[in-house]
Amino acid sequence: MNDWQRKSPLDWETYVNKMVKVAAIEKHEYEGWVLTVDPVSASIVLATFLENEKVSISVVLGHAVQEVEILKEGDDEMKQRLSCIFAPEESKAYSTEEEEKRKNALKTWLETNHIPVTEQGESGRTLCVAGVLTIDPPYGPEECSSSNEIILSRVQGLIQGYLEKQQ
Amino acid sequence: ATMPVLVPVGVLRLPRGPDGCSRGFSPTSPRFQALLGGDMVVAQGVRAALRQRYLRGLAAARGRPTRFCLRAGVQVDAVFGAADVEAVAFQVDALRTPLGVQAAALLRCADVLAYSFLL
């Protein structure tokens, strides 16, 4: 384990949204905006904006990192841009009312099937099922998140069936 | 002699354990707070946020042509498949090697210095 891998999450967080130069073993160097540092492997995820509107993502594995130098700090616009890079694609854009209707319909259906569900997050757009799984808009199987694979798989299946019946 | 009729016993299902969470432990329980509270709780929140972004990054990489930079200046191209939980290996498809294209392969994380792909 090297010094970089030994840092705490709070330390790693200080590099996020900054432009850095990473010196790696075997004299490799990488430059880019830090999107995140994986707490498990201490790998640094860098983004470089190319001329053709494409983004190049480079991941430097934690065990290969020798030194990380902060070159500059990202402004609010850059932070916003970086936070959107991995955001799940919105395949269909629903209006706020449609989204609210979908949310309420799903919530009602879950409650009818005796599945505890609450609303949470800013403006209550996220559904929380049994305290262990969240569903973001637009409330399809792909928008389910949970740390329990079994519950995730079950609920995704339920929602898939529910949406198919709606068609 | 006849067999006694078995009376089904009602099953009492308790929805929650004594600590309220019934999953084993709760990070807000007095025991957890006494042992590891305060800084650890904040660090855990940051850890979770960093990890979630990383996992979304892995999901974005899936199916994309990726260049892997290995040790001793070796570079290989492949299609990103998956990474495992403990960061032991990467699974890739269509790995181009000097001996030909491997349909599926595992690359050890210890052998990989860096990898990159286009979004």
Side-chain angles (χ1 to χ4, degrees):
Chain A
M1 249 226 280
N2 59 35
D3 286 341
W4 174 257
Q5 288 172 300
R6 266 189 281 263
K7 285 185 186 294
S8 83
L10 294 165
D11 276 334
W12 287 321
E13 198 196 21
T14 63
Y15 292 87
V16 175
N17 294 326
K18 303 222 169 47
M19 163 71 76
V20 303
K21 185 158 75 171
V22 180
I25 58 177
E26 299 189 8
K27 296 200 176 51
H28 291 287
E29 270 188 8
Y30 301 89
E31 231 180 79
W33 294 96
V34 177
L35 283 164
T36 188
V37 177
D38 174 34
V40 172
S41 61
S43 300
I44 308 175
V45 182
L46 300 169
T48 309
F49 297 99
L50 304 174
E51 276 157 21
N52 52 357
E53 300 249 320
K54 290 214 177 244
V55 186
S56 169
I57 305 293
S58 299
V59 182
V60 186
L61 281 272
H63 70 83
V65 174
Q66 279 180 328
E67 207 182 296
V68 183
E69 186 193 335
I70 297 182
L71 299 176
K72 68 175 171 212
E73 182 143 357
D75 59 10
D76 285 338
E77 192 193 318
M78 181 52 72
K79 284 188 197 163
Q80 177 66 15
R81 209 172 161 195
L82 291 172
S83 68
C84 291
I85 287 184
F86 292 148
E89 267 184 42
E90 282 159 41
S91 43
K92 252 202 216 166
Y94 292 99
S95 70
T96 323
E97 301 96 49
E98 273 172 43
E99 200 185 84
E100 178 90 13
K101 263 198 339 194
R102 278 175 77 91
K103 182 190 77 174
N104 291 329
L106 178 59
K107 184 167 183 242
T108 309
W109 184 80
L110 288 167
E111 284 165 347
T112 314
N113 287 278
H114 307 293
I115 297 171
V117 52
T118 59
E119 291 176 37
Q120 59 172 225
E122 339 130 12
S123 57
R125 282 167 87 226
T126 303
L127 290 176
C128 181
V129 175
V132 293
L133 178 145
T134 59
I135 315 176
D136 287 312
Y139 313 106
E142 286 302 304
E143 288 81 48
C144 296
S145 305
S146 176
S147 57
N148 184 313
E149 301 124 45
I150 296 173
I151 293 184
L152 177 63
S153 151
R154 291 281 163 88
V155 173
Q156 281 179 319
L158 285 174
I159 295 185
Q160 181 81 359
Y162 160 76
L163 289 175
E164 275 162 12
K165 271 206 312 220
Q166 300 269 297
Q167 240 73 7
Chain B
T2 52
M3 288 232 338
V5 176
L6 297 170
V7 178
V9 178
V11 176
L12 179 66
R13 291 188 191 281
L14 299 173
R16 293 187 185 287
D19 286 323
C21 181
S22 83
R23 296 301 316 163
F25 75 83
S26 162
T28 56
S29 72
R31 207 178 85 212
F32 186 90
Q33 287 290 335
L35 201 61
L36 297 162
D39 278 338
M40 283 294 287
V41 178
V42 175
Q44 183 54 30
V46 170
R47 214 183 133 93
L50 291 173
R51 179 69 173 169
Q52 193 188 81
R53 255 207 191 177
Y54 180 71
L55 293 175
R56 292 208 187 272
L58 288 179
R62 215 147 60 101
R64 295 192 193 266
T66 306
R67 173 152 293 181
F68 289 86
C69 189
L70 307 178
R71 291 178 185 266
V74 176
Q75 280 192 348
V76 286
D77 291 333
V79 172
F80 195 91
D84 67 337
V85 159
E86 284 125 32
V88 171
F90 296 106
Q91 185 274 316
V92 296
D93 298 322
L95 176 71
R96 303 169 88 84
T97 76
L99 292 174
V101 178
Q102 297 291 324
L106 289 178
L107 298 173
R108 284 184 298 210
C109 286
D111 294 338
V112 178
L113 302 184
Y115 60 97
S116 56
F117 56 94
L118 282 178
L119 269 188

